[in-house]
Amino acid sequence: FLITTPAYGGEIYEGIIGTPRFINPILATSEQDKDLTSLIYAGITKKDDLGNIILDMGESIVESDDKLSYRVTLKSDAFFHDGKKVTADDVIHTINLVQSPVIKSPYRIEWEGVSVQKESDTEITFTLKKPYPLFRSILTLGILPKHVWESLTEEQFSLSDYNIHAIGSGPYAIETINTVSGIPTNFVLQAHNRYTLGRPYIKRIFINSYSNEKNLIQAFTKGYIDRIHGVSPDT
């Protein structure tokens, strides 16, 4: 019997309308930002194809009996795209930034009343003021590398070039960004071989930005891109 199995390699060319502004899990609000953020960053947990919460960079999560405490152990093989290891310090730094009133993250409300404590380089304890049944779902928040962001003040955070030239620990890393007059028009993403859930099968993803739906459809019709989404129902 022959069984069809996926092979590593291949490329996808996808078109989007608009230009990503914040490829950053703390600031992402537009669809373009969220899509790229989900490819480049990884959290302690993530949603699978069925919408279930599974472990991503987390090795284990132990919930207290009163459901007010969660002890998280990170996987030892979690690495950022620049080769640095993901540690508890990165998680704590990320949560502190989300909770900052200066940064005004749209996800800040989800983290209100949550304190975080470092137990070791790979262990963190989250403490809640009251039980929150969906707490594991907010642990999908992408983790930022502290060594990249710690030199910036909170006022500089939203202005940083790292909001476009993002470094995460997700399934894909940014290989190159092409710009026109300083505005990103094309992103080349390369599979992250050290991603905790395994190297992605597709080697590269090319994401091309278009100013409007007409130009997007035209590029698709001419075969410049393979995939489009977010097009109006009539079209």
Side-chain angles (χ1 to χ4, degrees):
F1 293 94
L2 296 179
I3 299 174
T4 301
T5 58
Y8 291 102
E11 299 171 341
I12 283 180
Y13 289 78
E14 181 159 338
I16 61 174
I17 298 174
T19 303
R21 184 183 175 196
F22 293 117
I23 308 175
N24 183 324
I26 292 177
L27 299 173
T29 53
S30 71
E31 289 303 313
Q32 301 94 327
D33 290 345
K34 289 179 179 179
D35 288 347
L36 279 165
T37 296
S38 68
L39 291 171
I40 294 166
Y41 287 92
I44 293 170
T45 63
K46 73 173 295 180
K47 287 185 178 181
D48 65 11
D49 296 340
L50 301 176
N52 300 313
I53 300 297
I54 62 173
L55 292 172
D56 194 341
M57 292 196 298
E59 180 71 41
S60 65
I61 301 176
V62 179
E63 181 183 306
S64 63
D65 293 338
D66 61 7
K67 302 186 183 304
L68 293 177
S69 176
Y70 294 81
R71 189 177 180 112
V72 171
T73 301
L74 298 174
K75 292 176 180 175
S76 59
D77 59 351
F79 289 88
F80 289 109
H81 300 148
D82 60 3
K84 301 287 187 181
K85 198 167 185 176
V86 180
T87 70
D89 291 329
D90 299 303
V91 176
I92 293 171
H93 189 68
T94 301
I95 304 307
N96 288 339
L97 290 171
V98 173
Q99 294 176 330
S100 166
V102 176
I103 291 175
K104 298 178 181 178
S105 168
Y107 310 103
R108 182 186 171 201
I109 191 170
E110 297 177 345
W111 289 92
E112 282 187 356
V114 179
S115 61
V116 55
Q117 179 178 328
K118 178 180 177 180
E119 306 294 347
S120 70
D121 284 345
T122 58
E123 293 179 305
I124 317 106
T125 296
F126 294 93
T127 304
L128 285 60
K129 289 184 178 179
K130 58 183 179 180
Y132 181 45
L134 301 179
F135 182 70
R136 290 172 188 256
S137 67
I138 69 170
L139 291 177
T140 58
L141 178 74
I143 302 303
L144 299 175
K146 180 181 178 181
H147 63 275
V148 170
W149 291 92
E150 65 180 338
S151 62
L152 298 174
T153 65
E154 293 181 343
E155 289 76 14
Q156 295 172 326
F157 186 76
S158 63
L159 305 174
S160 172
D161 194 44
Y162 287 114
N163 286 311
I164 294 296
H165 296 269
I167 298 173
S169 55
Y172 284 89
I174 294 178
E175 183 177 306
T176 56
I177 299 176
N178 297 316
T179 62
V180 174
S181 300
I183 299 175
T185 57
N186 172 268
F187 293 82
V188 182
L189 308 182
Q190 185 175 34
H192 179 34
N193 293 338
R194 303 177 85 174
Y195 177 47
T196 52
L197 295 184
R199 167 189 166 196
Y201 286 105
I202 299 169
K203 186 176 181 180
R204 280 190 178 86
I205 299 178
F206 294 79
I207 298 179
N208 298 334
S209 173
Y210 297 90
S211 58
N212 54 56
E213 188 175 278
K214 179 182 177 181
N215 291 343
L216 177 69
I217 297 293
Q218 190 175 53
F220 180 72
T221 303
K222 291 184 177 181
Y224 297 150
I225 52 179
D226 310 313
R227 299 162 57 88
I228 55 177
H229 78 100
V231 180
S232 64
D234 290 343
T235 304

PDB file of all heavy atoms in Angstrom, residues 45-71:
ATOM      1  N   THR A  45       0.839  28.715  24.271  1.00  0.00           N
ATOM      2  CA  THR A  45      -0.152  27.823  23.670  1.00  0.00           C
ATOM      3  C   THR A  45      -0.508  28.339  22.288  1.00  0.00           C
ATOM      4  O   THR A  45      -0.085  29.429  21.877  1.00  0.00           O
ATOM      5  CB  THR A  45      -1.434  27.759  24.528  1.00  0.00           C
ATOM      6  OG1 THR A  45      -2.031  29.073  24.571  1.00  0.00           O
ATOM      7  CG2 THR A  45      -1.135  27.289  25.945  1.00  0.00           C
ATOM      8  N   LYS A  46      -1.313  27.587  21.564  1.00  0.00           N
ATOM      9  CA  LYS A  46      -1.830  28.039  20.279  1.00  0.00           C
ATOM     10  C   LYS A  46      -3.119  27.284  19.982  1.00  0.00           C
ATOM     11  O   LYS A  46      -3.426  26.272  20.624  1.00  0.00           O
ATOM     12  CB  LYS A  46      -0.815  27.828  19.162  1.00  0.00           C
ATOM     13  CG  LYS A  46      -0.616  26.375  18.738  1.00  0.00           C
ATOM     14  CD  LYS A  46       0.272  26.271  17.509  1.00  0.00           C
ATOM     15  CE  LYS A  46      -0.384  26.890  16.304  1.00  0.00           C
ATOM     16  NZ  LYS A  46       0.437  26.805  15.083  1.00  0.00           N
ATOM     17  N   LYS A  47      -3.860  27.766  19.006  1.00  0.00           N
ATOM     18  CA  LYS A  47      -5.065  27.068  18.567  1.00  0.00           C
ATOM     19  C   LYS A  47      -4.716  26.127  17.427  1.00  0.00           C
ATOM     20  O   LYS A  47      -3.978  26.494  16.511  1.00  0.00           O
ATOM     21  CB  LYS A  47      -6.129  28.066  18.105  1.00  0.00           C
ATOM     22  CG  LYS A  47      -6.791  28.843  19.224  1.00  0.00           C
ATOM     23  CD  LYS A  47      -7.908  29.720  18.688  1.00  0.00           C
ATOM     24  CE  LYS A  47      -8.597  30.473  19.820  1.00  0.00           C
ATOM     25  NZ  LYS A  47      -9.705  31.327  19.318  1.00  0.00           N
ATOM     26  N   ASP A  48      -5.267  24.883  17.491  1.00  0.00           N
ATOM     27  CA  ASP A  48      -5.036  23.961  16.390  1.00  0.00           C
ATOM     28  C   ASP A  48      -6.087  24.186  15.306  1.00  0.00           C
ATOM     29  O   ASP A  48      -6.883  25.135  15.371  1.00  0.00           O
ATOM     30  CB  ASP A  48      -5.027  22.511  16.891  1.00  0.00           C
ATOM     31  CG  ASP A  48      -6.385  22.056  17.432  1.00  0.00           C
ATOM     32  OD1 ASP A  48      -7.393  22.783  17.234  1.00  0.00           O
ATOM     33  OD2 ASP A  48      -6.445  20.978  18.058  1.00  0.00           O
ATOM     34  N   ASP A  49      -6.095  23.333  14.299  1.00  0.00           N
ATOM     35  CA  ASP A  49      -7.008  23.503  13.167  1.00  0.00           C
ATOM     36  C   ASP A  49      -8.479  23.463  13.571  1.00  0.00           C
ATOM     37  O   ASP A  49      -9.341  24.004  12.870  1.00  0.00           O
ATOM     38  CB  ASP A  49      -6.752  22.412  12.121  1.00  0.00           C
ATOM     39  CG  ASP A  49      -5.363  22.522  11.510  1.00  0.00           C
ATOM     40  OD1 ASP A  49      -4.772  23.615  11.601  1.00  0.00           O
ATOM     41  OD2 ASP A  49      -4.869  21.521  10.963  1.00  0.00           O
ATOM     42  N   LEU A  50      -8.773  22.820  14.687  1.00  0.00           N
ATOM     43  CA  LEU A  50     -10.157  22.691  15.149  1.00  0.00           C
ATOM     44  C   LEU A  50     -10.532  23.746  16.181  1.00  0.00           C
ATOM     45  O   LEU A  50     -11.640  23.735  16.709  1.00  0.00           O
ATOM     46  CB  LEU A  50     -10.387  21.287  15.730  1.00  0.00           C
ATOM     47  CG  LEU A  50     -10.140  20.113  14.776  1.00  0.00           C
ATOM     48  CD1 LEU A  50     -10.303  18.791  15.510  1.00  0.00           C
ATOM     49  CD2 LEU A  50     -11.086  20.185  13.582  1.00  0.00           C
ATOM     50  N   GLY A  51      -9.575  24.637  16.487  1.00  0.00           N
ATOM     51  CA  GLY A  51      -9.850  25.685  17.456  1.00  0.00           C
ATOM     52  C   GLY A  51      -9.566  25.297  18.889  1.00  0.00           C
ATOM     53  O   GLY A  51      -9.859  26.055  19.816  1.00  0.00           O
ATOM     54  N   ASN A  52      -9.001  24.100  19.084  1.00  0.00           N
ATOM     55  CA  ASN A  52      -8.650  23.659  20.438  1.00  0.00           C
ATOM     56  C   ASN A  52      -7.326  24.291  20.871  1.00  0.00           C
ATOM     57  O   ASN A  52      -6.435  24.517  20.053  1.00  0.00           O
ATOM     58  CB  ASN A  52      -8.522  22.135  20.482  1.00  0.00           C
ATOM     59  CG  ASN A  52      -9.815  21.440  20.099  1.00  0.00           C
ATOM     60  OD1 ASN A  52     -10.882  21.798  20.589  1.00  0.00           O
ATOM     61  ND2 ASN A  52      -9.727  20.450  19.223  1.00  0.00           N
ATOM     62  N   ILE A  53      -7.188  24.571  22.168  1.00  0.00           N
ATOM     63  CA  ILE A  53      -5.952  25.135  22.696  1.00  0.00           C
ATOM     64  C   ILE A  53      -4.967  24.008  22.982  1.00  0.00           C
ATOM     65  O   ILE A  53      -5.257  23.078  23.733  1.00  0.00           O
ATOM     66  CB  ILE A  53      -6.208  25.936  23.986  1.00  0.00           C
ATOM     67  CG1 ILE A  53      -7.176  27.087  23.708  1.00  0.00           C
ATOM     68  CG2 ILE A  53      -4.903  26.466  24.555  1.00  0.00           C
ATOM     69  CD1 ILE A  53      -6.658  28.118  22.723  1.00  0.00           C
ATOM     70  N   ILE A  54      -3.798  24.070  22.347  1.00  0.00           N
ATOM     71  CA  ILE A  54      -2.749  23.073  22.543  1.00  0.00           C
ATOM     72  C   ILE A  54      -1.472  23.782  22.974  1.00  0.00           C
ATOM     73  O   ILE A  54      -1.354  25.007  22.860  1.00  0.00           O
ATOM     74  CB  ILE A  54      -2.490  22.257  21.255  1.00  0.00           C
ATOM     75  CG1 ILE A  54      -2.014  23.187  20.132  1.00  0.00           C
ATOM     76  CG2 ILE A  54      -3.739  21.502  20.832  1.00  0.00           C
ATOM     77  CD1 ILE A  54      -1.565  22.458  18.872  1.00  0.00           C
ATOM     78  N   LEU A  55      -0.511  23.020  23.457  1.00  0.00           N
ATOM     79  CA  LEU A  55       0.770  23.596  23.854  1.00  0.00           C
ATOM     80  C   LEU A  55       1.594  23.950  22.623  1.00  0.00           C
ATOM     81  O   LEU A  55       1.612  23.212  21.645  1.00  0.00           O
ATOM     82  CB  LEU A  55       1.541  22.607  24.725  1.00  0.00           C
ATOM     83  CG  LEU A  55       0.954  22.334  26.116  1.00  0.00           C
ATOM     84  CD1 LEU A  55       1.702  21.189  26.795  1.00  0.00           C
ATOM     85  CD2 LEU A  55       1.005  23.586  26.985  1.00  0.00           C
ATOM     86  N   ASP A  56       2.259  25.087  22.674  1.00  0.00           N
ATOM     87  CA  ASP A  56       3.166  25.505  21.607  1.00  0.00           C
ATOM     88  C   ASP A  56       4.586  25.524  22.174  1.00  0.00           C
ATOM     89  O   ASP A  56       5.273  24.512  22.160  1.00  0.00           O
ATOM     90  CB  ASP A  56       2.760  26.866  21.070  1.00  0.00           C
ATOM     91  CG  ASP A  56       3.448  27.210  19.753  1.00  0.00           C
ATOM     92  OD1 ASP A  56       4.476  26.584  19.443  1.00  0.00           O
ATOM     93  OD2 ASP A  56       2.976  28.105  19.033  1.00  0.00           O
ATOM     94  N   MET A  57       5.011  26.641  22.752  1.00  0.00           N
ATOM     95  CA  MET A  57       6.324  26.669  23.390  1.00  0.00           C
ATOM     96  C   MET A  57       6.262  26.162  24.824  1.00  0.00           C
ATOM     97  O   MET A  57       7.287  26.005  25.484  1.00  0.00           O
ATOM     98  CB  MET A  57       6.915  28.080  23.356  1.00  0.00           C
ATOM     99  CG  MET A  57       7.277  28.560  21.964  1.00  0.00           C
ATOM    100  SD  MET A  57       8.372  30.007  21.979  1.00  0.00           S
ATOM    101  CE  MET A  57       7.333  31.216  22.822  1.00  0.00           C
ATOM    102  N   GLY A  58       5.080  25.905  25.314  1.00  0.00           N
ATOM    103  CA  GLY A  58       4.919  25.371  26.659  1.00  0.00           C
ATOM    104  C   GLY A  58       5.111  23.863  26.693  1.00  0.00           C
ATOM    105  O   GLY A  58       4.579  23.139  25.850  1.00  0.00           O
ATOM    106  N   GLU A  59       5.891  23.399  27.652  1.00  0.00           N
ATOM    107  CA  GLU A  59       6.079  21.962  27.853  1.00  0.00           C
ATOM    108  C   GLU A  59       4.928  21.401  28.689  1.00  0.00           C
ATOM    109  O   GLU A  59       4.424  20.304  28.432  1.00  0.00           O
ATOM    110  CB  GLU A  59       7.405  21.709  28.570  1.00  0.00           C
ATOM    111  CG  GLU A  59       7.714  20.243  28.842  1.00  0.00           C
ATOM    112  CD  GLU A  59       8.047  19.480  27.574  1.00  0.00           C
ATOM    113  OE1 GLU A  59       8.757  20.017  26.712  1.00  0.00           O
ATOM    114  OE2 GLU A  59       7.558  18.333  27.445  1.00  0.00           O
ATOM    115  N   SER A  60       4.507  22.188  29.690  1.00  0.00           N
ATOM    116  CA  SER A  60       3.401  21.777  30.544  1.00  0.00           C
ATOM    117  C   SER A  60       2.788  22.992  31.227  1.00  0.00           C
ATOM    118  O   SER A  60       3.448  24.026  31.389  1.00  0.00           O
ATOM    119  CB  SER A  60       3.870  20.771  31.602  1.00  0.00           C
ATOM    120  OG  SER A  60       4.780  21.385  32.500  1.00  0.00           O
ATOM    121  N   ILE A  61       1.530  22.859  31.606  1.00  0.00           N
ATOM    122  CA  ILE A  61       0.822  23.888  32.379  1.00  0.00           C
ATOM    123  C   ILE A  61       0.115  23.180  33.526  1.00  0.00           C
ATOM    124  O   ILE A  61      -0.712  22.301  33.299  1.00  0.00           O
ATOM    125  CB  ILE A  61      -0.206  24.651  31.522  1.00  0.00           C
ATOM    126  CG1 ILE A  61       0.470  25.332  30.331  1.00  0.00           C
ATOM    127  CG2 ILE A  61      -0.945  25.680  32.380  1.00  0.00           C
ATOM    128  CD1 ILE A  61      -0.496  26.029  29.393  1.00  0.00           C
ATOM    129  N   VAL A  62       0.464  23.563  34.745  1.00  0.00           N
ATOM    130  CA  VAL A  62      -0.147  22.951  35.931  1.00  0.00           C
ATOM    131  C   VAL A  62      -1.060  23.983  36.577  1.00  0.00           C
ATOM    132  O   VAL A  62      -0.614  25.052  37.004  1.00  0.00           O
ATOM    133  CB  VAL A  62       0.920  22.466  36.928  1.00  0.00           C
ATOM    134  CG1 VAL A  62       0.248  21.868  38.163  1.00  0.00           C
ATOM    135  CG2 VAL A  62       1.848  21.449  36.268  1.00  0.00           C
ATOM    136  N   GLU A  63      -2.340  23.665  36.651  1.00  0.00           N
ATOM    137  CA  GLU A  63      -3.343  24.568  37.207  1.00  0.00           C
ATOM    138  C   GLU A  63      -3.595  24.235  38.667  1.00  0.00           C
ATOM    139  O   GLU A  63      -3.715  23.065  39.035  1.00  0.00           O
ATOM    140  CB  GLU A  63      -4.628  24.428  36.395  1.00  0.00           C
ATOM    141  CG  GLU A  63      -5.758  25.319  36.819  1.00  0.00           C
ATOM    142  CD  GLU A  63      -7.010  25.060  35.992  1.00  0.00           C
ATOM    143  OE1 GLU A  63      -6.916  25.114  34.734  1.00  0.00           O
ATOM    144  OE2 GLU A  63      -8.070  24.788  36.572  1.00  0.00           O
ATOM    145  N   SER A  64      -3.663  25.243  39.525  1.00  0.00           N
ATOM    146  CA  SER A  64      -3.936  25.014  40.946  1.00  0.00           C
ATOM    147  C   SER A  64      -5.402  24.622  41.142  1.00  0.00           C
ATOM    148  O   SER A  64      -6.244  24.868  40.281  1.00  0.00           O
ATOM    149  CB  SER A  64      -3.622  26.274  41.765  1.00  0.00           C
ATOM    150  OG  SER A  64      -4.467  27.336  41.375  1.00  0.00           O
ATOM    151  N   ASP A  65      -5.685  24.023  42.285  1.00  0.00           N
ATOM    152  CA  ASP A  65      -7.046  23.571  42.574  1.00  0.00           C
ATOM    153  C   ASP A  65      -8.046  24.724  42.600  1.00  0.00           C
ATOM    154  O   ASP A  65      -9.205  24.565  42.204  1.00  0.00           O
ATOM    155  CB  ASP A  65      -7.078  22.825  43.920  1.00  0.00           C
ATOM    156  CG  ASP A  65      -6.312  21.505  43.868  1.00  0.00           C
ATOM    157  OD1 ASP A  65      -6.135  20.973  42.741  1.00  0.00           O
ATOM    158  OD2 ASP A  65      -5.880  21.028  44.933  1.00  0.00           O
ATOM    159  N   ASP A  66      -7.595  25.891  43.069  1.00  0.00           N
ATOM    160  CA  ASP A  66      -8.512  27.040  43.127  1.00  0.00           C
ATOM    161  C   ASP A  66      -8.572  27.812  41.814  1.00  0.00           C
ATOM    162  O   ASP A  66      -9.267  28.830  41.707  1.00  0.00           O
ATOM    163  CB  ASP A  66      -8.132  27.976  44.275  1.00  0.00           C
ATOM    164  CG  ASP A  66      -6.714  28.540  44.116  1.00  0.00           C
ATOM    165  OD1 ASP A  66      -6.079  28.310  43.063  1.00  0.00           O
ATOM    166  OD2 ASP A  66      -6.230  29.204  45.064  1.00  0.00           O
ATOM    167  N   LYS A  67      -7.830  27.321  40.809  1.00  0.00           N
ATOM    168  CA  LYS A  67      -7.809  27.913  39.467  1.00  0.00           C
ATOM    169  C   LYS A  67      -7.341  29.378  39.459  1.00  0.00           C
ATOM    170  O   LYS A  67      -7.710  30.160  38.589  1.00  0.00           O
ATOM    171  CB  LYS A  67      -9.190  27.803  38.803  1.00  0.00           C
ATOM    172  CG  LYS A  67      -9.694  26.369  38.679  1.00  0.00           C
ATOM    173  CD  LYS A  67     -10.966  26.283  37.903  1.00  0.00           C
ATOM    174  CE  LYS A  67     -11.502  24.854  37.861  1.00  0.00           C
ATOM    175  NZ  LYS A  67     -10.537  23.881  37.322  1.00  0.00           N
ATOM    176  N   LEU A  68      -6.507  29.712  40.422  1.00  0.00           N
ATOM    177  CA  LEU A  68      -5.962  31.059  40.496  1.00  0.00           C
ATOM    178  C   LEU A  68      -4.474  31.105  40.173  1.00  0.00           C
ATOM    179  O   LEU A  68      -3.879  32.178  40.130  1.00  0.00           O
ATOM    180  CB  LEU A  68      -6.190  31.644  41.901  1.00  0.00           C
ATOM    181  CG  LEU A  68      -7.639  31.913  42.304  1.00  0.00           C
ATOM    182  CD1 LEU A  68      -7.702  32.422  43.740  1.00  0.00           C
ATOM    183  CD2 LEU A  68      -8.291  32.913  41.355  1.00  0.00           C
ATOM    184  N   SER A  69      -3.889  29.934  39.966  1.00  0.00           N
ATOM    185  CA  SER A  69      -2.455  29.870  39.699  1.00  0.00           C
ATOM    186  C   SER A  69      -2.162  28.869  38.584  1.00  0.00           C
ATOM    187  O   SER A  69      -2.751  27.786  38.542  1.00  0.00           O
ATOM    188  CB  SER A  69      -1.708  29.471  40.974  1.00  0.00           C
ATOM    189  OG  SER A  69      -0.326  29.317  40.724  1.00  0.00           O
ATOM    190  N   TYR A  70      -1.257  29.271  37.679  1.00  0.00           N
ATOM    191  CA  TYR A  70      -0.850  28.407  36.570  1.00  0.00           C
ATOM    192  C   TYR A  70       0.678  28.398  36.501  1.00  0.00           C
ATOM    193  O   TYR A  70       1.299  29.436  36.277  1.00  0.00           O
ATOM    194  CB  TYR A  70      -1.412  28.912  35.242  1.00  0.00           C
ATOM    195  CG  TYR A  70      -2.920  28.826  35.148  1.00  0.00           C
ATOM    196  CD1 TYR A  70      -3.725  29.805  35.738  1.00  0.00           C
ATOM    197  CD2 TYR A  70      -3.540  27.790  34.475  1.00  0.00           C
ATOM    198  CE1 TYR A  70      -5.105  29.741  35.659  1.00  0.00           C
ATOM    199  CE2 TYR A  70      -4.928  27.719  34.378  1.00  0.00           C
ATOM    200  CZ  TYR A  70      -5.695  28.692  34.977  1.00  0.00           C
ATOM    201  OH  TYR A  70      -7.070  28.630  34.907  1.00  0.00           O
ATOM    202  N   ARG A  71       1.247  27.226  36.703  1.00  0.00           N
ATOM    203  CA  ARG A  71       2.706  27.099  36.616  1.00  0.00           C
ATOM    204  C   ARG A  71       3.056  26.541  35.234  1.00  0.00           C
ATOM    205  O   ARG A  71       2.634  25.441  34.873  1.00  0.00           O
ATOM    206  CB  ARG A  71       3.253  26.188  37.713  1.00  0.00           C
ATOM    207  CG  ARG A  71       4.784  26.211  37.791  1.00  0.00           C
ATOM    208  CD  ARG A  71       5.288  25.348  38.933  1.00  0.00           C
ATOM    209  NE  ARG A  71       6.736  25.359  39.035  1.00  0.00           N
ATOM    210  CZ  ARG A  71       7.418  25.910  40.027  1.00  0.00           C
ATOM    211  NH1 ARG A  71       6.771  26.518  41.019  1.00  0.00           N
ATOM    212  NH2 ARG A  71       8.740  25.871  40.059  1.00  0.00           N
TER     213      ARG A  71
END
